[in-house]
Amino acid sequence: MSTTLCFDFGNTRKKVAVFQEKEIVKILVLQDDTTATIRSLVETYKPAKSILSSVIHHNAEIETILKDTTRFHLLNHLSRLPITTPVGKPETIGADRLAIACGGVHFYPGKNLLLVGLGTCITLNFVNKYRELVGGSISPGLEMRLKSMQYYTAKLPLVAPKADVPLMGYDTETNILSGTILGIAYELDGFIAAYEEKFDNFNVVLTGGDMQHLASHLKSRIFADPELIFKGLYAISEVNNA
């Protein structure tokens, strides 16, 4: 049974999904990107293929390790993709956004798609029914908003996110959570409504680590897929590591 390692190096976490054939069998959060960590993964899972999506300055030596031991692909704007990127500077599109877009068109073909990534930043990625990633938006993510209030004020605490949030806060913590989590939810509902007015045959897909805190507060009809980026990476690997 063929194994593929799909690495997603984001601003907050470094993760890897282990695929056997087309199925995810394990998702791991890595403590670091040292050569020892990557060699241990290769020795443990003996992958035939690997792919890396990175939006950080990662350890370049791991690319050499993966090239020497697997059929390896580094996701970038020159990768062979099931989408096109008719924008002014396609080389500036984050690898994570490309992977999310590819996962979206794989599972929802023929649709206008708004793919919402809820990570360090919130990304809205619009892929039209012709499989063109034509743009979107980027705004601060949940933890970034919570941390900024502590950093830029003298007395506000750093509050841990949670899904159970009151509309009207009754103390400092719940006021912060209401303003932040419900504020993001209303922001997303507004964006979704604006897209729905403009495009028909339209789906919204939510993904990313903060989905658990936000999905229940959205009024809009959405699909939720926490593993969308890994599914997109696997599909890209199959084409570029053939």
Side-chain angles (χ1 to χ4, degrees):
M1 186 173 289
S2 178
T3 299
T4 301
L5 296 182
C6 295
F7 293 89
D8 170 32
F9 285 6
N11 288 294
T12 303
R13 287 179 289 272
K14 303 175 185 71
K15 297 184 290 182
V16 59
V18 182
F19 281 79
Q20 289 185 347
E21 300 303 333
K22 297 180 180 180
E23 300 297 324
I24 297 175
V25 296
K26 188 171 290 188
I27 295 176
L28 303 168
V29 178
L30 306 181
Q31 296 301 310
D32 53 50
D33 60 347
T34 62
T35 56
T37 294
I38 304 305
R39 287 189 190 281
S40 176
L41 286 169
V42 170
E43 291 170 3
T44 300
Y45 296 104
K46 297 177 175 53
K49 303 174 185 177
S50 63
I51 185 169
L52 169 62
S53 164
S54 177
V55 297
I56 63 171
H57 299 295
H58 60 270
N59 176 10
E61 292 182 15
I62 68 175
E63 294 182 34
T64 302
I65 295 171
L66 293 172
K67 285 176 185 176
D68 289 344
T69 55
T70 71
R71 294 201 295 279
F72 169 72
H73 183 70
L74 177 66
L75 178 56
N76 60 78
H77 70 286
L78 298 176
S79 301
R80 286 178 287 168
L81 304 173
I83 60 169
T84 59
T85 53
V87 295
K89 294 183 177 179
E91 68 276 10
T92 65
I93 301 173
D96 56 336
R97 301 181 77 179
L98 292 175
I100 288 171
C102 292
V105 300
H106 180 77
F107 290 100
Y108 306 93
K111 297 281 189 179
N112 289 311
L113 296 172
L114 184 62
L115 306 163
V116 183
L118 298 172
T120 303
C121 290
I122 298 170
T123 65
L124 272 64
N125 311 281
F126 183 74
V127 184
N128 65 25
K129 59 187 176 183
Y130 306 109
R131 297 192 168 204
E132 296 173 323
L133 175 57
V134 292
S137 59
I138 304 174
S139 64
L142 174 55
E143 286 196 18
M144 193 181 296
R145 298 185 196 207
L146 292 171
K147 287 178 179 177
S148 70
M149 282 188 277
Q150 181 202 32
Y151 183 82
Y152 286 108
T153 66
K155 294 186 177 181
L156 289 180
L158 178 61
V159 176
K162 59 180 69 172
D164 185 16
V165 179
L167 173 63
M168 184 184 299
Y170 47 83
D171 56 16
T172 300
E173 178 180 343
T174 53
N175 271 268
I176 290 173
L177 289 173
S178 175
T180 306
I181 292 179
L182 297 185
I184 292 174
Y186 298 148
E187 174 186 322
L188 291 176
D189 276 329
F191 268 116
I192 292 167
Y195 275 90
E196 283 180 327
E197 284 185 11
K198 190 165 181 155
F199 301 99
D200 57 6
N201 196 21
F202 179 75
N203 277 352
V204 181
V205 186
L206 230 62
T207 191
D210 287 328
M211 193 178 69
Q212 60 181 318
H213 305 304
L214 292 160
S216 63
H217 298 291
L218 293 177
K219 294 179 180 178
S220 308
R221 182 180 64 85
I222 61 169
F223 295 95
D225 189 342
E227 298 165 351
L228 186 64
I229 190 168
F230 289 122
K231 294 173 181 176
L233 286 174
Y234 179 82
I236 296 167
S237 173
E238 286 297 282
V239 173
N240 290 271
N241 285 325

